Amino acid sequence: MNLYQGRSIWSVSWFWLGIASVLFLSLSLRFWKISQFNTLVFDEVYIAKFANNYLTHTPFWHSHPPLGKYLIAIGIWIASLNPFGYDSLNSLTGSILSPFSYRWLNALIGSLIPLVIAGIAYQLSHRRSYALIAGLLAAADGLLLVESRYALLNIYLLFFGLLGQWLFLLALDNQPGRRGFFLTLSGACFGASTAVKWSGLGFLVGIYLVWISAWVIRWLQSFRSIATYSSSASNPSATIMRHGASTYTPLQNLTQLKLSHLLFDLGAIPALVYRLAWIPHLQLNPELNFWTLQKLILVGHQQVGSGSEVHPYCSLWYTWPWMIRPVAYFYYIASDIAEPVPSLGPPLPGNAGTVIYAVNGMGNPVLWWLSTATILFLLGILAKRICLEVTVVISKSLAVQQSISFTGIDCWIGLYLVLNYTANYLPWMKVTRCTFLYHYIGASIFAFLAIAWMVDLWLRSNQPRLQALGVTVIFLILLAFIFWLPVYLGLPLSSENFLSRMWFRSWI
């Protein structure tokens, strides 16, 4: 029996119960003992300090745009208005603050990201099952959890970039009269993502690539005498990517968007938001103008070296999908569990002591490895279909025409995931500075969506073996998340338990 038979299984009430559970899980893990390390963890030594500088009116320069730091500053200000979270205090930011005050907003925004990912999945497929699986897998990723628990910037970059993509898909799914409203909001979010870090531009570039591809596909199909046909019996790849329950995705409306839409809503609006985001920073630092700051950011990144001599956790872009070199955000060895963790920076790893407190910026290994394999698999299938489409144009072979189709929802979703993954990943090939695993975080989301899509197809299959495979994948991902949870949350571990989670020497 198909696991998805019966309307009651995926009824609206059960769907929202599942989404509420994902949100509860995300909130609980991100806020639980969020102040346990009364210090500045990893890049909080810069980000939290700079955010507080806006509140103390202290001029400074940083190599990233200001929006993420504004938001952390707003979080600090809001926290100062209520009595919660002040069980521990420090002056490491230049003011007497609690760790809760500069971390809580990251935790809240990070808790919402799995919901935005679920929204993207639903808009792509109009399937609640796919949306719920995608949200659950995102909630079970370690790097997203770690980045959400500290005053860092990547969570804001992700939130605005993914929200922009969700709003763009909503625009495609609405009538032309309402489409402009969602496109404007989408463009504003893309501008905000770029105003956190320049790498946030990848989410907008991905949309442009998908739009251009839609017109190329339309042009190629104008040469075909048969518009849509799918011979899954003779094409195993089509069988794997096929699903019969849904036949529509908003991506099929891409060619309804005119160039003027993209130039204004996804061109001028993001540029305007990015420019406006700099106004408070320029008022605090009047000696530098907007263009000078952009040049300083570019030159600053170009002057950063690379290799272990610059930072022990530098890693090359092609190692990220396989998670070869995670980043130690925090590491401290205590004599026993009663010893307080000092408020100064953590010492370098050593052999003294019996209790290890470690926070590793690493993803869920099972999720990352399976999602990487899935996105490469989709890339191979799409490359094959593109080659066949080109063959149709060149040879005008009816036999080839009848073996492929670029109008099905499977191809559109695969194209969307692969192109957005590419837009957020491949630009790092040209970066010569020291880079880290967390720079892959934008691309990883689309790999998560890919494995969630594949799992959903397996669960919808009439073949018990595929259904069992889908259940097994979800189980293994959740089991891995639980196993590595202590190094995401910084729970006290014995050296043996810590090393049992460091499967490779490069992880230490």
Side-chain angles (χ1 to χ4, degrees):
M1 177 180 176
N2 191 313
L3 293 178
Y4 285 81
Q5 288 178 348
R7 295 178 59 184
S8 62
I9 296 181
W10 288 109
S11 64
V12 173
S13 58
W14 278 104
F15 169 72
W16 286 112
L17 179 61
I19 290 295
S21 299
V22 169
L23 177 59
F24 177 77
L25 174 67
S26 298
L27 286 168
S28 300
L29 291 176
R30 282 157 177 78
F31 278 94
W32 185 76
K33 296 187 70 173
I34 194 175
S35 300
Q36 68 172 329
F37 300 128
N38 187 19
T39 183
L40 298 179
V41 173
F42 196 52
D43 279 351
E44 283 186 335
V45 297
Y46 308 109
I47 307 303
K49 284 182 180 180
F50 293 155
N52 189 56
N53 284 348
Y54 288 119
L55 300 175
T56 59
H57 305 286
T58 304
F60 71 95
W61 178 83
H62 187 219
S63 58
H64 290 298
L67 182 57
K69 297 180 285 290
Y70 293 162
L71 293 172
I72 296 173
I74 291 172
I76 295 172
W77 175 74
I78 293 175
S80 69
L81 303 178
N82 67 76
F84 301 108
Y86 279 85
D87 52 327
S88 56
L89 298 170
N90 67 65
S91 60
L92 299 174
T93 61
S95 301
I96 299 177
L97 300 174
S98 69
F100 178 86
S101 67
Y102 49 79
R103 292 173 184 165
W104 76 268
L105 189 57
N106 278 63
L108 178 62
I109 296 299
S111 300
L112 299 177
I113 287 179
L115 303 191
V116 178
I117 293 172
I120 291 174
Y122 180 78
Q123 284 305 126
L124 284 173
S125 63
H126 286 180
R127 296 205 309 267
R128 299 189 194 100
S129 55
Y130 177 33
L132 189 54
I133 293 170
L136 177 62
L137 297 190
D141 180 57
L143 187 56
L144 286 178
L145 174 59
V146 171
E147 287 279 335
S148 301
R149 286 174 55 84
Y150 301 99
L152 306 173
L153 298 178
N154 291 319
I155 285 301
Y156 299 108
L157 176 149
L158 274 182
F159 178 73
F160 287 118
L162 293 172
L163 186 60
Q165 295 235 343
W166 179 56
L167 290 166
F168 177 79
L169 294 173
L170 282 173
L172 294 178
D173 208 16
N174 274 272
Q175 297 298 321
R178 299 184 59 190
R179 189 168 291 162
F181 171 74
F182 288 104
L183 284 175
T184 300
L185 291 179
S186 175
C189 287
F190 289 134
S193 181
T194 309
V196 175
K197 284 186 176 182
W198 281 1
S199 55
L201 190 61
F203 294 100
L204 177 57
V205 172
I207 292 298
Y208 270 93
L209 290 178
V210 173
W211 180 77
I212 293 171
S213 298
W215 280 101
V216 171
I217 291 170
R218 180 173 175 177
W219 177 78
L220 288 173
Q221 290 180 338
S222 67
F223 289 88
R224 299 175 56 179
S225 59
I226 299 177
T228 58
Y229 185 84
S230 180
S231 178
S232 60
S234 61
N235 187 353
S237 298
T239 301
I240 295 173
M241 294 183 67
R242 174 176 56 93
H243 58 78
S246 181
T247 59
Y248 168 75
T249 173
L251 294 172
Q252 293 166 321
N253 295 332
L254 276 166
T255 53
Q256 295 180 13
L257 297 182
K258 299 178 181 179
L259 182 60
S260 59
H261 289 139
L262 273 75
L263 291 179
F264 178 75
D265 295 307
L266 301 181
I269 293 296
L272 177 62
V273 170
Y274 179 80
R275 179 61 181 84
L276 292 175
W278 281 92
I279 291 177
H281 186 87
L282 291 171
Q283 291 176 339
L284 182 64
N285 301 271
E287 70 281 0
L288 298 175
N289 63 40
F290 173 77
W291 293 109
T292 300
L293 285 170
Q294 309 313 301
K295 182 178 179 180
L296 286 174
I297 291 176
L298 178 62
V299 172
H301 284 289
Q302 290 175 337
Q303 290 178 345
V304 176
S306 183
S308 58
E309 66 277 4
V310 175
H311 197 285
Y313 292 100
C314 287
S315 59
L316 296 173
W317 64 274
Y318 53 81
T319 67
W320 300 340
W322 310 107
M323 210 175 67
I324 292 176
R325 185 58 169 162
V327 182
Y329 284 28
F330 184 85
Y331 190 95
Y332 183 78
I333 301 177
S335 58
D336 56 62
I337 198 170
E339 179 184 336
V341 178
S343 59
L344 299 176
L348 294 175
N351 295 321
T354 59
V355 178
I356 294 176
Y357 294 87
V359 177
N360 276 33
M362 58 184 289
N364 181 326
V366 175
L367 175 59
W368 278 46
W369 295 334
L370 289 178
S371 63
T372 296
T374 304
I375 203 74
L376 292 176
F377 175 72
L378 294 184
L379 178 61
I381 291 178
L382 288 173
K384 177 182 177 181
R385 292 194 174 191
I386 290 171
C387 291
L388 290 174
E389 285 280 357
V390 173
T391 302
V392 169
V393 175
I394 296 174
S395 66
K396 295 183 171 58
S397 169
L398 183 61
V400 175
Q401 290 179 29
Q402 291 179 332
S403 67
I404 56 174
S405 170
F406 248 109
T407 60
I409 183 176
D410 52 356
C411 279
W412 282 112
I413 294 178
L415 190 69
Y416 171 87
L417 296 178
V418 167
L419 289 179
N420 276 284
Y421 178 85
T422 301
N424 285 277
Y425 180 40
L426 290 190
W428 292 102
M429 293 174 58
K430 304 297 292 182
V431 176
T432 57
R433 54 151 289 176
C434 173
T435 53
F436 302 92
L437 182 69
Y438 59 74
H439 289 128
Y440 179 70
I441 198 168
S444 70
I445 299 301
F446 299 98
F448 299 166
L449 283 164
I451 185 60
W453 178 39
M454 196 66 70
V455 168
D456 185 52
L457 294 182
W458 288 334
L459 293 178
R460 285 178 171 270
S461 170
N462 290 318
Q463 301 181 35
R465 287 193 300 177
L466 289 180
Q467 294 176 7
L469 179 60
V471 172
T472 300
V473 167
I474 293 177
F475 174 78
L476 289 177
I477 290 172
L478 295 178
L479 186 64
F481 181 65
I482 294 171
F483 178 72
W484 273 281
L485 192 59
V487 295
Y488 302 147
L489 298 179
L491 302 181
L493 293 170
S494 66
S495 59
E496 293 79 9
N497 285 333
F498 173 72
L499 292 175
S500 71
R501 289 163 173 82
M502 300 294 104
W503 284 8
F504 306 98
R505 186 174 182 83
S506 61
W507 285 11
I508 301 175

